[in-house]
mmCIF file of all heavy atoms in Angstrom:
data_model
loop_
_atom_site.group_PDB
_atom_site.id
_atom_site.type_symbol
_atom_site.label_atom_id
_atom_site.label_comp_id
_atom_site.label_asym_id
_atom_site.label_seq_id
_atom_site.Cartn_x
_atom_site.Cartn_y
_atom_site.Cartn_z
ATOM 1 N N ILE A 968 -5.314 10.096 -3.743
ATOM 2 C CA ILE A 968 -5.203 8.658 -3.479
ATOM 3 C C ILE A 968 -6.505 8.162 -2.870
ATOM 4 O O ILE A 968 -7.098 8.821 -2.011
ATOM 5 C CB ILE A 968 -4.032 8.381 -2.513
ATOM 6 C CG1 ILE A 968 -2.700 8.813 -3.166
ATOM 7 C CG2 ILE A 968 -3.970 6.912 -2.114
ATOM 8 C CD1 ILE A 968 -1.607 9.038 -2.161
ATOM 9 N N ALA A 969 -6.953 6.988 -3.313
ATOM 10 C CA ALA A 969 -8.182 6.387 -2.779
ATOM 11 C C ALA A 969 -7.891 4.979 -2.295
ATOM 12 O O ALA A 969 -7.394 4.146 -3.063
ATOM 13 C CB ALA A 969 -9.277 6.365 -3.838
ATOM 14 N N ASP A 988 3.498 5.997 14.701
ATOM 15 C CA ASP A 988 4.214 7.124 14.105
ATOM 16 C C ASP A 988 5.063 6.696 12.918
ATOM 17 O O ASP A 988 5.161 7.419 11.914
ATOM 18 C CB ASP A 988 5.096 7.796 15.161
ATOM 19 C CG ASP A 988 4.278 8.536 16.216
ATOM 20 O OD1 ASP A 988 3.100 8.823 15.940
ATOM 21 O OD2 ASP A 988 4.820 8.814 17.296
ATOM 22 N N ASP A 1005 -17.508 -2.840 2.362
ATOM 23 C CA ASP A 1005 -18.848 -3.275 2.752
ATOM 24 C C ASP A 1005 -19.119 -2.826 4.174
ATOM 25 O O ASP A 1005 -18.195 -2.478 4.911
ATOM 26 C CB ASP A 1005 -19.013 -4.791 2.609
ATOM 27 C CG ASP A 1005 -18.294 -5.566 3.704
ATOM 28 O OD1 ASP A 1005 -17.081 -5.332 3.892
ATOM 29 O OD2 ASP A 1005 -18.932 -6.402 4.378
ATOM 30 N N ASN A 1017 -18.182 -1.557 10.538
ATOM 31 C CA ASN A 1017 -16.828 -1.730 10.029
ATOM 32 C C ASN A 1017 -16.024 -0.427 9.999
ATOM 33 O O ASN A 1017 -14.886 -0.378 10.466
ATOM 34 C CB ASN A 1017 -16.862 -2.320 8.613
ATOM 35 C CG ASN A 1017 -17.267 -3.772 8.599
ATOM 36 O OD1 ASN A 1017 -17.012 -4.517 9.538
ATOM 37 N ND2 ASN A 1017 -17.914 -4.189 7.516
ATOM 38 N N GLY A 1023 -12.024 4.386 14.809
ATOM 39 C CA GLY A 1023 -11.598 4.378 16.195
ATOM 40 C C GLY A 1023 -10.127 4.055 16.363
ATOM 41 O O GLY A 1023 -9.467 4.560 17.279
ATOM 42 N N TYR A 1052 -24.270 5.698 -1.505
ATOM 43 C CA TYR A 1052 -22.813 5.474 -1.571
ATOM 44 C C TYR A 1052 -22.346 5.378 -3.019
ATOM 45 O O TYR A 1052 -21.266 5.860 -3.360
ATOM 46 C CB TYR A 1052 -22.451 4.203 -0.804
ATOM 47 C CG TYR A 1052 -21.024 4.200 -0.295
ATOM 48 C CD1 TYR A 1052 -20.543 5.251 0.468
ATOM 49 C CD2 TYR A 1052 -20.173 3.138 -0.542
ATOM 50 C CE1 TYR A 1052 -19.246 5.252 0.967
ATOM 51 C CE2 TYR A 1052 -18.874 3.120 -0.055
ATOM 52 C CZ TYR A 1052 -18.417 4.180 0.705
ATOM 53 O OH TYR A 1052 -17.122 4.176 1.196
ATOM 54 N N LEU A 1056 -19.419 7.617 -4.678
ATOM 55 C CA LEU A 1056 -18.277 7.059 -5.400
ATOM 56 C C LEU A 1056 -18.188 7.624 -6.812
ATOM 57 O O LEU A 1056 -17.095 7.958 -7.299
ATOM 58 C CB LEU A 1056 -18.386 5.529 -5.458
ATOM 59 C CG LEU A 1056 -18.102 4.772 -4.154
ATOM 60 C CD1 LEU A 1056 -18.476 3.307 -4.321
ATOM 61 C CD2 LEU A 1056 -16.638 4.906 -3.770
ATOM 62 N N LEU A 1071 -10.673 3.341 -9.990
ATOM 63 C CA LEU A 1071 -11.333 4.094 -8.920
ATOM 64 C C LEU A 1071 -10.444 4.165 -7.684
ATOM 65 O O LEU A 1071 -10.274 5.220 -7.083
ATOM 66 C CB LEU A 1071 -12.670 3.426 -8.581
ATOM 67 C CG LEU A 1071 -13.404 3.866 -7.316
ATOM 68 C CD1 LEU A 1071 -13.780 5.342 -7.390
ATOM 69 C CD2 LEU A 1071 -14.655 3.008 -7.103
ATOM 70 N N ALA A 1086 -15.952 -9.095 1.040
ATOM 71 C CA ALA A 1086 -16.841 -7.962 1.260
ATOM 72 C C ALA A 1086 -18.139 -8.566 1.832
ATOM 73 O O ALA A 1086 -18.067 -9.420 2.712
ATOM 74 C CB ALA A 1086 -17.059 -7.162 -0.017
ATOM 75 N N GLY A 1091 -23.746 -17.726 -3.891
ATOM 76 C CA GLY A 1091 -25.100 -17.926 -4.382
ATOM 77 C C GLY A 1091 -25.994 -16.702 -4.360
ATOM 78 O O GLY A 1091 -27.144 -16.768 -4.795
ATOM 79 N N ALA A 1094 -26.126 -10.581 -5.839
ATOM 80 C CA ALA A 1094 -25.166 -9.470 -5.932
ATOM 81 C C ALA A 1094 -23.887 -9.882 -6.652
ATOM 82 O O ALA A 1094 -23.201 -9.038 -7.239
ATOM 83 C CB ALA A 1094 -24.835 -8.957 -4.535
ATOM 84 N N ARG A 1099 -23.742 -3.754 -13.444
ATOM 85 C CA ARG A 1099 -23.935 -2.323 -13.676
ATOM 86 C C ARG A 1099 -23.833 -1.500 -12.389
ATOM 87 O O ARG A 1099 -23.250 -0.419 -12.401
ATOM 88 C CB ARG A 1099 -25.286 -2.064 -14.342
ATOM 89 C CG ARG A 1099 -25.399 -2.666 -15.740
ATOM 90 C CD ARG A 1099 -26.699 -2.258 -16.401
ATOM 91 N NE ARG A 1099 -26.811 -0.812 -16.532
ATOM 92 C CZ ARG A 1099 -26.265 -0.100 -17.515
ATOM 93 N NH1 ARG A 1099 -25.554 -0.707 -18.445
ATOM 94 N NH2 ARG A 1099 -26.421 1.211 -17.563
ATOM 95 N N VAL A 1102 -22.723 -0.441 -6.032
ATOM 96 C CA VAL A 1102 -23.001 -0.774 -4.628
ATOM 97 C C VAL A 1102 -24.414 -1.339 -4.555
ATOM 98 O O VAL A 1102 -25.324 -0.837 -5.219
ATOM 99 C CB VAL A 1102 -22.899 0.474 -3.725
ATOM 100 C CG1 VAL A 1102 -22.919 0.065 -2.253
ATOM 101 C CG2 VAL A 1102 -21.651 1.296 -4.020
ATOM 102 N N ARG A 1116 -26.635 -5.962 5.035
ATOM 103 C CA ARG A 1116 -25.346 -5.384 4.661
ATOM 104 C C ARG A 1116 -25.493 -4.457 3.459
ATOM 105 O O ARG A 1116 -26.508 -4.453 2.769
ATOM 106 C CB ARG A 1116 -24.340 -6.493 4.291
ATOM 107 C CG ARG A 1116 -24.255 -7.683 5.249
ATOM 108 C CD ARG A 1116 -23.553 -7.330 6.549
ATOM 109 N NE ARG A 1116 -23.439 -8.477 7.429
ATOM 110 C CZ ARG A 1116 -22.362 -9.267 7.517
ATOM 111 N NH1 ARG A 1116 -21.310 -9.036 6.752
ATOM 112 N NH2 ARG A 1116 -22.340 -10.273 8.360
ATOM 113 N N PHE A 1132 -5.678 -9.525 -0.530
ATOM 114 C CA PHE A 1132 -6.455 -10.398 0.350
ATOM 115 C C PHE A 1132 -5.588 -10.741 1.552
ATOM 116 O O PHE A 1132 -4.487 -11.266 1.405
ATOM 117 C CB PHE A 1132 -6.846 -11.689 -0.367
ATOM 118 C CG PHE A 1132 -8.027 -11.564 -1.268
ATOM 119 C CD1 PHE A 1132 -7.853 -11.235 -2.603
ATOM 120 C CD2 PHE A 1132 -9.310 -11.771 -0.798
ATOM 121 C CE1 PHE A 1132 -8.939 -11.128 -3.458
ATOM 122 C CE2 PHE A 1132 -10.403 -11.661 -1.642
ATOM 123 C CZ PHE A 1132 -10.224 -11.342 -2.970
ATOM 124 N N VAL A 1134 -5.481 -13.135 4.738
ATOM 125 C CA VAL A 1134 -6.084 -14.346 5.301
ATOM 126 C C VAL A 1134 -5.245 -14.766 6.502
ATOM 127 O O VAL A 1134 -4.075 -15.141 6.350
ATOM 128 C CB VAL A 1134 -6.140 -15.484 4.261
ATOM 129 C CG1 VAL A 1134 -6.888 -16.691 4.840
ATOM 130 C CG2 VAL A 1134 -6.793 -15.020 2.966
ATOM 131 N N GLY A 1151 -15.603 -22.005 -7.242
ATOM 132 C CA GLY A 1151 -16.192 -20.761 -7.713
ATOM 133 C C GLY A 1151 -16.766 -19.921 -6.597
ATOM 134 O O GLY A 1151 -17.927 -19.486 -6.661
ATOM 135 N N ARG A 1158 -11.215 -9.989 -8.372
ATOM 136 C CA ARG A 1158 -9.876 -9.781 -8.897
ATOM 137 C C ARG A 1158 -9.724 -8.349 -9.364
ATOM 138 O O ARG A 1158 -10.643 -7.767 -9.930
ATOM 139 C CB ARG A 1158 -9.585 -10.744 -10.054
ATOM 140 C CG ARG A 1158 -9.461 -12.213 -9.650
ATOM 141 C CD ARG A 1158 -8.249 -12.431 -8.769
ATOM 142 N NE ARG A 1158 -8.056 -13.822 -8.354
ATOM 143 C CZ ARG A 1158 -8.546 -14.347 -7.239
ATOM 144 N NH1 ARG A 1158 -9.311 -13.590 -6.424
ATOM 145 N NH2 ARG A 1158 -8.294 -15.601 -6.912
#
Side-chain angles (χ1 to χ4, degrees):
I968 297 160
D988 290 341
D1005 74 307
N1017 288 330
Y1052 205 53
L1056 287 171
L1071 168 62
R1099 296 186 60 83
V1102 191
R1116 313 287 182 96
F1132 280 91
V1134 185
R1158 291 294 181 268

